[in-house]
Amino acid sequence: MLYPVPISVPPRRVPYKIINNLKEALDSMSKQKVIIKCNKPILDLKDGFYHCELDEESQQLCCFSTPFGCYTFLRLPFGLSAASEKFQEITTKYFGNIENVNVYFDDILIAGETIEGHDRALN
């Protein structure tokens, strides 16, 4: 079984046509104290649902048709109503018992009273 691996990902690509709108929105949210700029990443499980294997019965329910033939998911696809709940259950199972670590779907929040305490939880 594959376990979710914490990674730090580069910024998402933004279409050139809307880059100015994004900057305006970020500036506005910063001014309103909704967000604040930081220089440290939070941990995010890239394509998190794809870390969750489907059993054979579930695979048969996750088929889709394309012009190139039919396919079935072997991993948990995005868009299923139960996917978020199942993913939360799995990430909590593997990361939820670590002191100073909180799991929220594909985000892993790590805290510590000191930098050393934070780094200990991170490791």
Side-chain angles (χ1 to χ4, degrees):
M1 174 175 199
L2 289 176
Y3 298 101
V5 178
I7 62 169
S8 178
V9 297
R12 296 179 187 266
R13 290 183 289 182
V14 176
Y16 181 76
K17 188 171 184 172
I18 66 167
I19 194 81
N20 291 332
N21 293 349
L22 173 61
K23 179 65 172 139
E24 288 175 16
L26 293 172
D27 289 345
S28 173
M29 292 172 73
S30 292
K31 189 174 184 177
Q32 297 171 30
K33 304 283 188 219
V34 174
I35 61 173
I36 187 170
K37 190 167 184 171
C38 66
N39 61 0
K40 300 175 185 173
I42 69 169
L43 296 180
D44 187 31
L45 300 176
K46 181 174 177 5
D47 298 327
F49 289 3
Y50 293 160
H51 291 278
C52 307
E53 295 177 339
L54 294 177
D55 60 28
E56 284 190 41
E57 183 179 356
S58 298
Q59 290 174 13
Q60 297 309 310
L61 299 173
C62 294
C63 297
F64 60 99
S65 177
T66 77
F68 308 103
C70 293
Y71 293 84
T72 187
F73 277 95
L74 302 176
R75 308 267 176 184
L76 185 61
F78 292 82
L80 296 181
S81 61
S84 295
E85 181 179 332
K86 186 63 178 172
F87 185 70
Q88 177 75 44
E89 177 185 313
I90 290 170
T91 54
T92 299
K93 175 182 175 183
Y94 292 111
F95 299 105
N97 64 348
I98 302 171
E99 187 177 350
N100 296 327
V101 172
N102 291 309
V103 178
Y104 184 74
F105 298 101
D106 65 339
D107 294 315
I108 300 176
L109 309 171
I110 301 171
E113 291 186 22
T114 64
I115 292 175
E116 293 80 18
H118 168 272
D119 291 348
R120 197 168 30 258
L122 177 62
N123 289 329

